[in-house]
Amino acid sequence: MTVANHQALKAVFQRIREQADQRKTADTDGAVPKITIGMATCGIAAGAIETKQTFEQALAERRVEAQIYTVGCIGHCYAEPVVIIDHPDSGFAPIFYHNVTAGKAKMLVRQFLIEGDPCFEHIYGAMETNEMIPSVTEFDRFNQEVRVVMEKCGHINPEEIDDYLVSGGYSGLAQALQMAPEDIVAAIQHAGLRGRGGAGFSTGRKWALAREAESLEKVVICNADEGDPGAYMDRTIIESNPHQVLEGMAICARAVGAHQGIIYVRAEYPLAVKIMTRAIAQAETMGILGRHIFETDFNFRIKLFQGSGAFVCGEETGMIRSIEGYRGMPQHRPPYPVVNGLKGQPTVINNVKTLACVPPIIEKGYSWFRSIGTEESPGTAIFSVVGDVVHAGLVEIPMGVTLRELIFDICGGIPNQKAFKAVQIGGPSGGCLPAAFLDTPIDFDSLTQAGAMMGSGGMVVMDEDTCVADVSRYFLDFTQNESCGKCTFCRIGTRHLLDILERITKGEGQDDDLQRLQDLSLDIKKGSLCGLGKTAPNPILTSIRYFKEDYDAHLKEGRCPGLVCRPLIAYYIDLDKCARGCDACVGCCPTNAVFTTSTRKKGIDQQLCVKCGECVVACPPEYDAVRKVSPPHLVPAIERPAQPENAEDA
Amino acid sequence: MNDVLTSEEKAILADIQQYLSESKRDRSRLIPVLQYIQARLAYIPYQSIALVAAHFNLAPAEVYGVASFYNQFRFNPPGKYPVKVCLGTACHVKGADIILENFERKLEIKEGETTPDREFSIERVACVGCCALAPVALLGESVHGNMAPSKVEGIFTRIQVEKEMEARQKSEK
Amino acid sequence: MPTITVNGQSIEAQSGMSLLQACLEKGIFIPNLCYLKAMTEPPASCRLCFVEIEGQPDPVAACTITVADGLVVSTDTSAVRQLQRTALQLLLSVHDIDCKNCPANKQCALQDLAKFLKVPLKNKPTETYLREPAIDETHPHLTYYPNRCILCGKCIYVCQTRHGQSSLSFAKRGFDTVISFYGALEIDQQACDDCQQCAQVCPVGALVMKSG
């Protein structure tokens, strides 16, 4: 491209941006209060639609003028539905409210928007530093994050391309189009960007291979087939800022010489599909995607493909088979997709987060990216931190932060004064780490060394009431269900692993079961065809390494230390604490297992009890009479009276 | 081998035939076409597989082989109120299996089945992505967070009440 | 022609040929179940044809390796045998071992491999996990025994090659995977009657022609 062309491209981009700016300014009336509501799937699940409707209704009823602005997710799932109110006339900085139910919404309209009282008791924090309200920027949950991928998530309306443009979007693409493709690849290589979807392969290296591959047609695929049952960052990114992903894909296409792109989104993510479809259409209409991008000779079309729900399609070759219309069974590699991929064409497959890292790298330069994170793992990591943790949600941190800092400082630690027991990282391909590993820095190599893996970014924090054997059983159940069935080791081997774990968690384990688990696990790792099989035994191997005592308790004593495995626990009612005549537990029992003793207290019929734990919840805290024990024979014998006292009622 | 179709389903099948005649025969359209059928009929009856096979010039076994590989496609009609219990990691840790068991006990069907009156069906789903609300169940499209066995009862009571109100409104008309 | 060394013996192989094929042609036996000579892209699914190649840490499937000059290969190391025995034991653990009543008796690939690898047909520690023994009789000419099937896919391959499209297919997923005749009633019955190749290629008696 010549210098004159560069000038033309800059002018075109400038024009597109200015037009977006004008439309936005026309839309927003500066003086009116602005109510921002998080409306990604998690927010909606927590009731954001109802919250939004209530705001609309209340504003209409009371004839208050305000603008409702919907955004994606800012990552604070524990606080959903999240609302930020910017009411300039009130004199307060924009305020973050959490758990805004319909009732709170009504109250905020009345008290804050009309009367100017921001309802201090419901404030989470102010969005900016100010003198009246503590600002969220002082909270660990906010100030330790570094946002590269999620910078705009929760701040822009994902359904409007103008929002993305106005906040600086697509300037990375405009810049990339003024660079030689080799230089784009070189920039990504210098940045040290590693694939965010699992093993951490060098993205620049992948692009270089695809660039070198000789072919008229090449393909860029964005892998949004997030299958790890506890990770949802890819979905959230698409629902909150789809254009950054599209921009990354376009830059990649330019770098490797591709003209077609496919974004593979799980059909189980209907909102992500809807938002992404709209984003592609908007970008095409504005000449940012499609033919003659920014009026240059660069063409790149993106189509959306809905994945039909098979975990194994997250594997590159499985995904390609599935797009081609076959059973998504992985194939032997090599040949790698970068050489021989979709319909035989060289194909780059990158994860959503990897692609979303690309525009900022091009825009701000690779040394900026390298300044974040560690030498070997530059940039940030995104985790969905869930389980027994105070501030569950999505967190983006620089690589190198320790697990302790992430779990205890940023996410607020373990609730209910319980002790930390384990953290599971990397989902079904990852592993469980104990407290001794809390000072492990979070980066690709350190986690792999410890026996877990970065994987997809799922992180489940578990407190002392967790059974690690049960967690292993859960993950094996998952992989076993999701095995494609092609190769012997994964199809049948994981079934045997699951079977052994099932009998251990039922207290029916055999003496050499641990040895058997380990031997078979190692063979499956070596013998399986694809990455799913090769990593499926990881949860078992790490948990036996670090939590052998949990397995031993099940095997040798028939006891579940975390009081989780239902065949090994029992509930009873402590007669010293049970209140005479109280019926709280009776009504809640789904199987009528609670009976009244001769002293008009309560007992549990062990034959009928399904160990759901409802009675524990129902028992008023002042009595706190329901006990849970393992092994079950520790339950004191409480006779059920032969004749029910209230026989006449029956 | 043909599934028994309602007259409404037969009409949709005619639509599907129309849709097929307008779509490309490229094999990479196979899964999108199956998704269209699933969206229209909520399951993939034999008759539709025969149509698709003919359209793509494939054996019905090949089409069934592809469809049966993926979780999204089902081969028996779901209930009017499909119950989906999330068994993602966060939900599992908070006792999702107990919730599933309660639905199964209450409806007297197993996961993957539909009640004989076609009112309810139960499915397990991997993460629905609201881990902070775990354990979670879906009834149709509505999400029920922080589920407990006692809430299962409540959900059915509510449906019962809604149904009765509907019936009353109808009879009043 | 590339020259490779297998178990210390130097052999010449046709270029472009798979390592497995090259060895088999020179009479060096490597256990295998899902491989047919004509296949251009072998599925590599049975996980039996492991060999060790100098310079690679773990055993690799010989059907996926194209011969290259100077390859140094061992087919009989303890690591190789360990994986092969485990794979065979796994296959046997889901196989209905009732040889007396099986048409494949004495010409069964599993029996041969068990003898070669010295693996007992019935093995205590890996107990058997049979699927529901639902025998599929829906095909007009064929009977399918899921509990004998090793899912090698040879039947699908030969049907596809012979008829352009296979009337057999893998169906379902994972442990529940089966060979399906779905829609078999609609296929050209005469073609099936004259062919029978799928039943002939089945190494374990899982696909059997209906007699009469």
Side-chain angles (χ1 to χ4, degrees), chain A residues 47-273:
Chain A
I49 291 182
E50 213 188 336
T51 304
K52 180 170 172 248
Q53 284 167 347
T54 315
F55 269 116
E56 285 166 346
Q57 233 173 340
L59 292 174
E61 273 169 19
R62 297 176 175 271
R63 293 167 208 257
V64 180
E65 264 206 75
Q67 187 201 3
I68 292 182
Y69 186 65
T70 56
V71 296
C73 169
I74 60 166
H76 295 248
C77 303
Y78 62 92
E80 296 283 5
V82 167
V83 170
I84 296 169
I85 301 183
D86 183 7
H87 187 7
D89 290 350
S90 69
F92 291 103
I95 300 171
F96 181 120
Y97 294 92
H98 62 298
N99 306 106
V100 182
T101 53
K104 263 193 205 175
K106 255 187 223 163
M107 181 183 70
L108 285 169
V109 169
R110 193 182 65 238
Q111 298 195 5
F112 189 26
L113 296 184
I114 299 175
E115 292 162 18
D117 163 17
C119 308
F120 284 98
E121 66 278 25
H122 296 292
I123 290 179
Y124 192 72
M127 294 302 286
E128 295 156 10
T129 319
N130 66 89
E131 283 173 1
M132 289 181 270
I133 306 168
S135 155
V136 292
T137 53
E138 291 155 27
F139 302 167
D140 284 339
R141 184 66 171 74
F142 287 76
N143 66 18
Q144 296 206 10
E145 281 198 67
V146 171
R147 293 197 160 192
V148 172
V149 171
M150 292 179 48
E151 188 202 347
K152 299 185 172 73
C153 291
H155 297 286
I156 60 170
N157 182 344
E159 301 201 52
E160 294 307 331
I161 192 171
D162 287 351
D163 282 41
Y164 184 63
L165 282 164
V166 167
S167 67
Y170 284 113
S171 58
L173 176 61
Q175 231 165 305
L177 288 179
Q178 298 168 51
M179 294 163 71
E182 303 77 40
D183 295 344
I184 305 176
V185 175
I188 299 300
Q189 272 183 315
H190 291 316
L193 178 62
R194 299 173 68 172
R196 261 51 177 169
F201 187 76
S202 157
T203 306
R205 178 99 193 92
K206 204 182 233 184
W207 290 18
L209 287 171
R211 167 136 202 91
E212 286 156 18
E214 278 179 36
S215 169
L216 284 174
E217 283 297 333
K218 295 178 187 175
V219 189
V220 174
I221 298 178
C222 170
N223 183 349
D225 188 45
E226 191 170 44
D228 172 351
Y232 51 100
M233 60 284 286
D234 292 353
R235 189 203 67 206
T236 304
I237 292 164
I238 292 178
E239 286 175 356
S240 309
N241 186 6
H243 288 285
Q244 191 165 333
V245 182
L246 295 178
E247 187 181 359
M249 285 178 80
I251 295 172
C252 173
R254 172 68 175 177
V256 304
H259 300 116
Q260 35 166 334
I262 293 171
I263 172 155
Y264 191 104
V265 188
R266 285 174 72 188
E268 291 100 319
Y269 287 174
L271 185 61
V273 167

Side-chain angles (χ1 to χ4, degrees), chain C residues 77-98:
Chain C
T77 67
S78 61
V80 163
R81 293 296 182 234
Q82 160 82 21
L83 286 180
Q84 289 171 334
R85 289 198 178 105
T86 305
L88 184 62
Q89 279 169 2
L90 290 173
L91 287 169
L92 287 169
S93 74
V94 293
H95 185 79
D96 185 11
I97 295 165
D98 183 18

Side-chain angles (χ1 to χ4, degrees), chain B residues 138-150:
Chain B
L138 285 92
L139 188 80
E141 294 298 306
S142 63
V143 179
H144 297 262
N146 299 316
M147 280 298 295
S150 51

Side-chain angles (χ1 to χ4, degrees), chain B residues 139-160:
Chain B
L139 188 80
E141 294 298 306
S142 63
V143 179
H144 297 262
N146 299 316
M147 280 298 295
S150 51
K151 282 196 184 172
V152 171
E153 197 71 33
I155 287 174
F156 289 115
T157 317
R158 193 172 342 157
I159 291 174
Q160 200 54 45

Side-chain angles (χ1 to χ4, degrees), chain C residues 157-180:
Chain C
Y157 178 81
V158 295
C159 189
Q160 170 92 34
T161 314
R162 170 85 183 254
H163 303 286
Q165 53 160 278
S166 176
S167 54
L168 303 170
S169 168
F170 287 121
K172 303 192 182 165
R173 195 180 63 203
F175 192 75
D176 299 328
T177 309
V178 286
I179 301 287
S180 161

